[in-house]
Amino acid sequence: MVGATASTLMGVMNPLLGKLSTLLEEEYGKLKGLHSGIASLRDELRSMEAALEDLSQLEEPSQQVKEWMHQLRELSYDIEDCIDVFVQHLGQDDAHDGLISKIIGWIRTMKVCHHTAGQIGKLKEHAVEISDRRKRLKLDIVPSSSAYVPIDPRLSAFFEEAGRIIGIDVPRDELIEWVTSDTNKRRVISIVGSGGIGKTTLANQVYQKVRSRFSWTVFVSVSRSPNIIRILSDILSNIIKTNNTTSDDQKQLMQRIKEYLNRKSLEYHELVNMTREFLENKSYFVLIDDVWSKQAWKDIQCAFPSNNNASRIMMTTRIQDVAKSCSFPHESHVYSMKHLGVDDSKRLFLKRIFGHENACPLELKEVTSDILKKCGGLPLAIVNIASLLATKPATKQEWERVKNSIFCVLERDHEMEVVKRILFLSYYDLPDYLKVCLLDLSRYPEDFLIKCEHMIWRWIAEGFISGKQGQNLEEVGERYFNELINRNMVQLVQMDYSGKAINCRIHDIMLDLLICLSTEENFVTIVNSQTITSSTDKIRRLSLQGNCEENSVWLNTSDFSHVRSLSAFGDCKQIPMLSSLQILRVLDLEGCNHLNEDNVRIEDIGSLHQLRYLCIHSFTKVPRQIGKLQLLQTLDLTNSKVTELPASIVQLRQLVSLELGFQARLPDGISNMRALQYLRCFNCSKNSINVVLELGNIIKLKRLVIHWDHDITGEDEERYKKPLVSSLCKLGQSNLQILNITRLYLYCTVDFLIESWYPPPQHLRHFEMNGMAHFHRIPRRISSFSTLIYLDIRLEQLEEEDMQPLKDLPVLVNLYLEVRESNQETLIISHGGFQCLKDFSLLYAEDKKGGPGMIFEGGVMPKLQRLNIRYHAHITVPERGCGSDFSIHQLTSLKLFLVDIYCAGATAREVEVAEVAIRNHANLHPNHPSLEVRKFLKEHMATNEDNDATEQLEGTSTS
């Protein structure tokens, strides 16, 4: 494992060497006593870096080598801390005005330089000792080289291939039969198998196929150390989001659930009772994934009543006894997963690498068989090795090298260790800079949904991302993340319209591997109710997970002066005193709702001079001391109850990203935050007119989310319009690329935003409206927004001539229109325009009946691949122009036709007629695009002779 350890250490040392070189070029680095010490220290590190490059090629280290590398790693951290504190002190002393102040500042600078010179002298002595120790060890290193291959250009094809699951049809159909076979009692079906064998994949396939048969469905992820309260509260949150009932009893229940979930303390029995009350007399299908204990199953299943509505629960587990216990007394409903056979393994392996199972070169067939034999039909192992080879030259020599590496590490390990070793092999092959980024993910708990953007800003704050001069660090970070996706090291959960990652997760097995590596390299110390993972007294990064009360003594007595990042998750109610974290770069409390002013002395935040990333969601105030954080780049107050930010916030000259809660008020002077690029939830009504005007002077602003509050009405609304448009006009001529307008309550037209925006923005590529904000009709001036790629707007009305301004947008790729009403029977999309459009959605509001039919003329939207239309079934499709004239065959590039049918006020027969008509037109398309029909059932749906059909209306059907 030394290869991984050495190269990860190089990922730490390389940025440090860059810092030392930069410091030598600065004015203070040339001071007597400093320059020679820094230069000598850098040279010692460079000589050891060369040895590390050789060590990174070794498979197994000796204890002496491990200890030497441990000492070098800790030395590197200590040097970087010393340099960062020195530079921070110099920055403070440079800020003095006036002769006397400058003299005092100069004296302080000399003292700092003298003190730092002494520290560097001691560090240099330590470096020489470590270097001499390496020489005495007489390491016999045989170097070998491996070239780094850039990101696989077939990344997007890999995402598509992930949907083509190999060898799953037979078990899926068998399980569907178990789910759908007649019985009025609740049935529990268990899927059991080893980690990485595909239990969740299989269960999810069944879930997607049968969920439309049930009135309510939910997917629940458990993990090895489940937080039952969180799981049950998430289920109730799902109930609130998906409930469409209109009965008074159900409305009252929903209100009770909402009020209860807003409490700080939640009780198990209350959560169970509310869930059972909602599900009583309903047919439900629940998928409970990754159950590790009988007790966890008992705690969760209590929430699901054993009613007589043919409900189903499907669960996955790695443990046979747990599976039998869940399905007891019906052991016949335990499905044991099997490994992939030889043919399916080969298909999965070769498709992942070459895109086709018959594309394997003849010279690689023998080595392919050898590799697959070692993978043993385990899908996770097959996919990871294939992902590794996809980035390598397709030569027998390279594949033999990978195969031989697998042979060395797998011979004596059992099945679960096989997967870990294969995942470690993928880790071993990462470039140094990616190893460091990946190890940072070990701080997250199991199944935690990671926001990719936040993750990248953390990497930047920690110094893991370094770009060449002129490179955007965020873009470099996105490339790093794409490389991890490409190598299958993290699981992508959600992408946006452009293919940019939004959320991701770490697979359990991968997380186990990362925690092992992280502990060995003293990268992250994880503290929870059971364990403390630490290999040294010097804690560099700290992750507090769940209730750590049993380790409160450790938290109160340990030395945290070397901690660089602190993260808290779950029920954590205690963190180290902020005043003890003097070199902290990252403070991330996003995953914890229990830390606030009651248990954290937030006023001490001003002493964290190295802080670059701050996320505090559960606090109600931001102290004035925050102005002292001159290195702060990210401040995340999303979902917080902060109503006013201190005046000192404008002193944050390096702040790049600022995310606020809906009620936050900014002080005058925000134009001083000249580095700001992302501002989310700027509430106009909470800020002064002067602040709204200042907004236009933040010329680096790229992304802006504006909340047009319902409090702005009458004269106030008119007073705010002109300043807001003035600022948007300025930003449009600067760097504004993404604009989002949102309003939570009360419908309100915001036509003035577009009609008064002149000159049109130069770089705006994304315009989006959310909530109750809408245009009366499509603004004609929007045709001048020529850089728009993504447009998502809400309209009061839509007429045929309104589409003309949109047709003139030359690079528009994604268009989403949500319309409240239309006076036309048929909406004709005439030819011309929309030359780049690939994704088009026309959705009529749920509470408005009808909506026009659509006719596409020949030559229109030549690149359209996805079409999404929403209709109301009470007016049949053929009656509204969607019969023989519904000409989707004119859309020559169409791949997916998605139709939403709302069934309010419709009979089952009317819904059936509507669906049949849609399917007939899809079948007439020469390219036979995929068709997905989604039907949504309302409680006030009309009754008729087809009563049995109403049970099948809600859900999704695909062909």
Side-chain angles (χ1 to χ4, degrees):
M1 194 175 287
V2 70
T5 304
S7 51
T8 306
L9 178 52
M10 289 167 61
V12 173
M13 285 187 62
N14 288 337
L16 173 59
L17 290 169
K19 281 188 177 182
L20 292 173
S21 297
T22 300
L23 188 59
L24 287 172
E25 297 171 1
E26 300 291 336
E27 177 181 354
Y28 294 110
K30 298 176 182 178
L31 291 173
K32 184 178 180 181
L34 271 180
H35 187 276
S36 59
I38 294 173
S40 178
L41 192 58
R42 181 191 62 181
D43 293 342
E44 286 290 346
L45 291 177
R46 279 180 173 172
S47 67
M48 289 185 278
E49 182 189 31
L52 280 175
E53 290 179 358
D54 293 340
L55 282 169
S56 67
Q57 307 306 316
L58 293 182
E59 289 292 336
E60 293 295 333
S62 66
Q63 266 322 113
Q64 287 180 318
V65 171
K66 281 186 176 181
E67 177 60 25
W68 178 78
M69 293 177 63
H70 167 75
Q71 293 178 358
L72 179 56
R73 178 179 60 248
E74 296 303 315
L75 172 66
S76 299
Y77 283 136
D78 290 339
I79 294 172
E80 187 173 17
D81 291 343
C82 174
I83 296 302
D84 285 346
V85 171
F86 172 61
V87 171
Q88 177 258 321
H89 279 304
L90 295 184
Q92 285 183 329
D93 293 332
D94 282 344
H96 294 291
D97 293 324
L99 180 60
I100 301 299
S101 296
K102 287 184 177 180
I103 292 174
I104 294 173
W106 182 81
I107 294 173
R108 288 177 178 171
T109 297
M110 292 301 100
K111 288 182 178 180
V112 170
C113 289
H114 178 73
H115 177 70
T116 303
Q119 285 185 308
I120 288 177
K122 292 179 180 179
L123 290 169
K124 178 191 169 186
E125 292 177 4
H126 193 193
V128 170
E129 291 175 4
I130 293 174
S131 181
D132 289 344
R133 187 174 293 112
R134 173 182 63 84
K135 295 172 183 176
R136 290 197 304 273
L137 290 175
K138 297 181 180 179
L139 299 174
D140 185 14
I141 307 300
V142 180
S144 61
S145 61
S146 62
Y148 168 65
V149 179
I151 293 176
D152 189 344
R154 296 168 295 180
L155 179 60
S156 59
F158 286 172
F159 292 149
E160 292 179 8
E161 182 62 23
R164 302 174 187 174
I165 304 165
I166 303 297
I168 207 169
D169 294 347
V170 173
R172 180 198 63 203
D173 293 343
E174 184 176 351
L175 286 170
I176 289 175
E177 177 63 23
W178 289 8
V179 171
T180 58
S181 59
D182 291 337
T183 178
N184 288 328
K185 296 183 179 180
R186 189 187 76 171
R187 174 180 292 171
V188 180
I189 298 166
S190 302
I191 302 176
V192 62
S194 61
I197 202 169
K199 301 182 297 296
T200 303
T201 301
L202 173 60
N204 188 50
Q205 284 290 299
V206 176
Y207 178 76
Q208 297 300 335
K209 287 285 187 181
V210 304
R211 61 184 303 181
S212 62
R213 297 172 178 263
F214 300 87
S215 58
W216 182 79
T217 62
V218 69
F219 184 109
V220 180
S221 184
V222 178
S223 81
R224 280 179 291 182
S225 302
N227 182 332
I228 302 299
I229 298 297
R230 179 186 62 80
I231 291 170
L232 293 176
S233 63
D234 287 348
I235 290 172
L236 285 177
S237 297
N238 175 274
I239 288 174
I240 293 173
K241 292 178 182 178
T242 59
N243 180 57
N244 293 318
T245 59
T246 58
S247 70
D248 291 339
D249 289 343
Q250 287 290 297
K251 286 181 177 179
Q252 291 175 7
L253 175 60
M254 293 303 105
Q255 186 61 35
R256 282 169 45 213
I257 292 175
K258 288 179 183 178
E259 292 174 356
Y260 188 78
L261 291 179
N262 287 330
R263 296 184 184 180
K264 288 187 176 180
S265 179
L266 303 178
E267 298 293 333
Y268 169 79
H269 69 278
E270 287 290 341
L271 296 170
V272 168
N273 288 338
M274 287 183 176
T275 305
R276 291 179 67 91
E277 183 177 351
F278 172 78
L279 293 177
E280 198 64 42
N281 300 320
K282 288 184 174 66
S283 65
Y284 59 83
F285 182 67
V286 180
L287 174 52
I288 305 177
D289 185 46
D290 202 19
V291 180
W292 284 78
S293 69
K294 298 176 184 178
Q295 187 59 49
W297 159 251
K298 291 177 182 178
D299 292 340
I300 296 171
Q301 68 92 26
C302 288
F304 304 108
S306 300
N307 53 31
N308 295 322
N309 290 313
S311 296
R312 300 288 184 266
I313 298 177
M314 179 174 287
M315 57 80 66
T316 70
T317 182
R318 303 181 186 189
I319 305 168
Q320 285 281 352
D321 287 345
V322 173
K324 292 177 181 178
S325 175
C326 294
S327 294
F328 181 83
H330 304 288
E331 289 192 8
S332 60
H333 293 146
V334 175
Y335 186 89
S336 296
M337 292 284 292
K338 299 177 178 61
H339 290 77
L340 291 179
V342 174
D343 293 339
D344 284 337
S345 295
K346 186 175 181 181
R347 287 171 57 204
L348 178 61
F349 184 75
L350 296 178
K351 279 192 173 184
R352 182 71 177 180
I353 300 173
F354 300 111
H356 196 278
E357 62 186 283
N358 296 322
C360 181
L362 183 62
E363 65 168 343
L364 297 178
K365 287 191 174 181
E366 183 177 350
V367 67
T368 295
S369 298
D370 293 338
I371 292 173
L372 289 176
K373 183 179 179 181
K374 282 295 177 181
C375 289
L378 204 61
L380 185 64
I382 295 169
V383 168
N384 274 275
I385 291 296
S387 298
L388 170 64
L389 292 174
T391 65
K392 299 289 184 185
T395 64
K396 185 176 181 179
Q397 180 181 7
E398 186 66 24
W399 284 34
E400 287 282 357
R401 187 188 69 80
V402 172
K403 181 201 72 172
N404 292 334
S405 298
I406 298 173
F407 283 10
C408 326
V409 297
L410 298 184
E411 289 294 341
R412 58 185 180 274
D413 295 326
H414 59 78
E415 186 179 72
M416 286 303 298
E417 288 299 315
V418 168
V419 180
K420 285 191 175 184
R421 298 302 288 184
I422 291 176
L423 290 174
F424 173 72
L425 184 60
S426 297
Y427 176 86
Y428 173 81
D429 197 66
L430 290 173
D432 303 334
Y433 58 85
L434 283 184
K435 285 191 176 74
V436 177
C437 292
L438 188 62
L439 273 186
D440 184 58
L441 303 185
S442 64
R443 68 187 180 88
Y444 290 107
E446 280 187 7
D447 298 323
F448 191 83
L449 189 65
I450 303 169
K451 296 179 180 178
C452 302
E453 186 177 50
H454 291 183
M455 177 182 67
I456 290 170
W457 280 110
R458 280 187 53 112
W459 290 349
I460 293 172
E462 286 248 37
F464 299 155
I465 297 176
S466 57
K468 297 178 181 178
Q469 189 171 6
Q471 283 186 315
N472 182 291
L473 291 183
E474 187 182 13
E475 293 176 356
V476 175
E478 288 177 8
R479 289 200 294 271
Y480 284 12
F481 178 76
N482 286 339
E483 180 71 8
L484 293 176
I485 288 289
N486 183 40
R487 293 167 178 262
N488 207 43
M489 307 297 280
V490 298
Q491 294 177 321
L492 186 62
V493 175
Q494 184 181 5
M495 291 190 303
D496 68 8
Y497 66 95
S498 66
K500 181 178 178 180
I502 299 176
N503 299 314
C504 68
R505 279 194 176 96
I506 307 298
H507 192 281
D508 289 355
I509 299 173
M510 176 62 71
L511 183 60
D512 288 344
L513 171 69
L514 294 179
I515 290 173
C516 291
L517 291 171
S518 181
T519 302
E520 181 177 342
E521 300 191 22
N522 191 32
F523 199 85
V524 178
T525 298
I526 299 172
V527 181
N528 54 40
S529 57
Q530 286 91 30
T531 59
I532 300 174
T533 64
S534 181
S535 60
T536 178
D537 292 336
K538 282 189 176 181
I539 301 167
R540 301 295 180 177
R541 296 170 187 87
L542 184 60
S543 176
L544 305 175
Q545 301 180 3
N547 192 335
C548 303
E549 289 182 1
E550 294 183 13
N551 295 312
S552 59
V553 174
W554 182 84
L555 285 171
N556 289 324
T557 58
S558 298
D559 177 13
F560 298 106
S561 60
H562 301 283
V563 174
R564 295 164 164 242
S565 78
L566 171 60
S567 306
F569 302 92
D571 299 332
C572 180
K573 298 181 178 66
Q574 179 185 3
I575 63 173
M577 294 179 60
L578 296 183
S579 57
S580 68
L581 305 168
Q582 293 299 303
I583 63 168
L584 195 70
R585 291 159 171 79
V586 172
L587 178 58
D588 188 355
L589 308 181
E590 176 187 3
C592 181
N593 296 323
H594 297 278
L595 293 171
N596 49 48
E597 293 88 351
D598 296 335
N599 43 30
V600 177
R601 184 178 167 80
I602 195 63
E603 293 80 7
D604 292 340
I605 197 112
S607 64
L608 308 182
H609 298 294
Q610 296 297 320
L611 200 63
R612 291 159 170 84
Y613 183 101
L614 176 60
C615 178
I616 45 175
H617 281 193
S618 298
F619 288 73
T620 59
K621 65 177 181 179
V622 175
R624 58 180 175 80
Q625 291 85 350
I626 197 169
K628 297 180 180 180
L629 307 181
Q630 291 300 300
L631 300 179
L632 194 65
Q633 298 167 333
T634 301
L635 176 57
D636 184 358
L637 304 173
T638 307
N639 300 324
S640 73
K641 296 181 180 179
V642 173
T643 57
E644 187 163 1
L645 278 79
S648 59
I649 194 83
V650 302
Q651 299 171 15
L652 302 179
R653 305 295 174 85
Q654 294 195 40
L655 192 67
V656 177
S657 178
L658 176 58
E659 300 186 50
L660 305 172
F662 283 112
Q663 302 300 317
R665 175 185 176 90
L666 288 164
D668 289 348
I670 62 170
S671 58
N672 292 323
M673 296 190 287
R674 295 170 185 168
L676 198 63
Q677 297 181 27
Y678 309 107
L679 176 57
R680 294 180 182 174
C681 215
F682 178 84
N683 191 326
C684 289
S685 71
K686 301 301 179 185
N687 289 282
S688 67
I689 296 292
N690 187 54
V691 169
V692 177
L693 283 169
E694 278 193 88
L695 184 65
N697 297 326
I698 309 177
I699 60 175
K700 288 189 177 180
L701 204 61
K702 293 181 179 179
R703 184 184 308 168
L704 175 61
V705 178
I706 293 175
H707 183 56
W708 191 249
D709 204 318
H710 64 282
D711 291 344
I712 303 180
T713 57
E715 293 182 3
D716 281 344
E717 186 175 22
E718 294 303 319
R719 286 195 310 116
Y720 275 96
K721 284 181 179 180
K722 188 173 180 180
L724 178 58
V725 172
S726 172
S727 288
L728 289 178
C729 289
K730 289 181 181 179
L731 295 174
Q733 296 304 299
S734 300
N735 291 289
L736 189 64
Q737 298 177 12
I738 299 175
L739 177 61
N740 188 306
I741 308 295
T742 183
R743 183 182 178 95
L744 293 182
Y745 307 105
L746 302 179
Y747 281 102
C748 174
T749 58
V750 290
D751 298 70
F752 70 92
L753 286 177
I754 304 298
E755 297 298 352
S756 303
W757 195 331
Y758 186 84
Q762 295 183 348
H763 308 288
L764 190 69
R765 56 183 174 84
H766 180 122
F767 184 91
E768 182 176 352
M769 304 171 75
N770 296 113
M772 301 297 187
H774 66 274
F775 295 133
H776 178 65
R777 292 173 66 172
I778 295 176
R780 293 196 171 278
R781 288 213 64 254
I782 205 167
S783 62
S784 63
F785 287 38
S786 59
T787 55
L788 277 178
I789 298 174
Y790 179 99
L791 182 62
D792 183 351
I793 57 178
R794 281 143 179 76
L795 305 169
E796 182 68 28
Q797 290 185 348
L798 177 64
E799 309 301 336
E800 187 173 316
E801 61 269 23
D802 293 337
M803 299 296 289
Q804 186 59 45
L806 302 181
K807 293 171 66 175
D808 296 334
L809 295 173
V811 293
L812 188 65
V813 176
N814 305 83
L815 175 60
Y816 307 104
L817 304 177
E818 185 167 321
V819 185
R820 287 182 61 78
E821 61 183 43
S822 177
N823 296 322
Q824 292 189 249
E825 287 293 318
T826 302
L827 182 66
I828 299 176
I829 311 294
S830 58
H831 63 84
F834 295 120
Q835 294 300 301
C836 295
L837 196 66
K838 294 183 179 179
D839 190 351
F840 176 39
S841 294
L842 179 60
L843 310 175
Y844 284 88
E846 301 175 22
D847 58 343
K848 296 291 183 180
K849 296 180 179 180
M854 293 184 67
I855 294 179
F856 295 93
E857 293 188 348
V860 71
M861 302 180 182
K863 297 182 180 179
L864 192 73
Q865 298 179 8
R866 179 184 182 274
L867 175 63
N868 181 199
I869 298 175
R870 179 191 293 164
Y871 283 104
H872 294 264
H874 74 289
I875 297 180
T876 60
V877 177
E879 292 174 356
R880 298 302 301 268
C882 299
S884 60
D885 295 328
F886 190 49
S887 48
I888 65 167
H889 65 276
Q890 303 284 10
L891 305 174
T892 56
S893 299
L894 192 65
K895 294 182 179 179
L896 173 62
F897 186 25
L898 177 61
V899 181
D900 296 332
I901 300 178
Y902 278 97
C903 307
T907 65
R909 177 60 181 166
E910 287 173 335
V911 174
E912 181 183 356
V913 170
E915 183 176 1
V916 169
I918 290 292
R919 293 189 181 280
N920 288 340
H921 293 296
N923 291 334
L924 291 174
H925 196 288
N927 297 338
H928 302 292
S930 297
L931 172 65
E932 185 174 343
V933 179
R934 300 185 297 194
K935 293 167 288 185
F936 301 89
L937 180 64
K938 300 289 186 179
E939 277 199 351
H940 56 271
M941 181 174 176
T943 59
N944 72 342
E945 65 277 11
D946 296 323
N947 289 328
D948 293 340
T950 61
E951 297 181 5
Q952 304 175 16
L953 280 176
E954 186 173 357
T956 301
S957 56
T958 305
S959 61

